[in-house]
């Protein structure tokens, strides 16, 4: 029990979680922003690779944009 409490205290101290008495602990807002920034960087890297493939193989930009729109709006 002490180890778990200490872990929660450290997570809160380091800004990873926010704790509200009677409500529990939640992922801190600034870490959601960090996570979203990381995901955007990952998407940018994949798009950079797609753009390079498109340039090398002379795929028109409009075609790549159309493909991205299809994937973006596609339901899983």
């Amino acid at each position: 029990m002490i180890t778990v409490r200490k872990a929660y205290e450290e997570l809160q101290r380091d800004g990873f979680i926010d704790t509200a008495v009677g409500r529990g602990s939640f992922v801190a807002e600034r870490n959601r922003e960090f996570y979203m920034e990381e995901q955007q960087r990952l998407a940018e890297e994949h798009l950079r690779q797609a753009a390079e493939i498109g340039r090398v193989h002379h795929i028109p930009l409009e075609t790549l944009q159309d493909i991205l729109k299809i994937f973006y709006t596609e339901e899983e």
Side-chain angles (χ1 to χ4, degrees), residues 27-74:
V27 175
E29 185 63 35
R30 74 175 186 201
N31 283 314
R32 286 188 192 124
E33 292 171 12
F34 175 77
Y35 175 77
M36 292 303 295
E37 289 172 6
E38 287 297 309
Q39 295 307 302
Q40 182 175 332
R41 276 193 277 277
L42 179 61
E44 288 171 359
E45 181 56 36
H46 287 288
L47 290 170
R48 182 176 290 114
Q49 291 172 6
E52 180 64 21
I53 291 168
R55 275 193 301 273
V56 168
H57 298 286
H58 308 289
I59 301 170
L61 175 59
E62 293 78 18
T63 301
L64 292 175
Q65 289 172 326
D66 290 342
I67 293 168
L68 178 59
K69 285 178 189 175
I70 291 168
F71 288 150
Y72 192 85
T73 58
E74 180 177 88

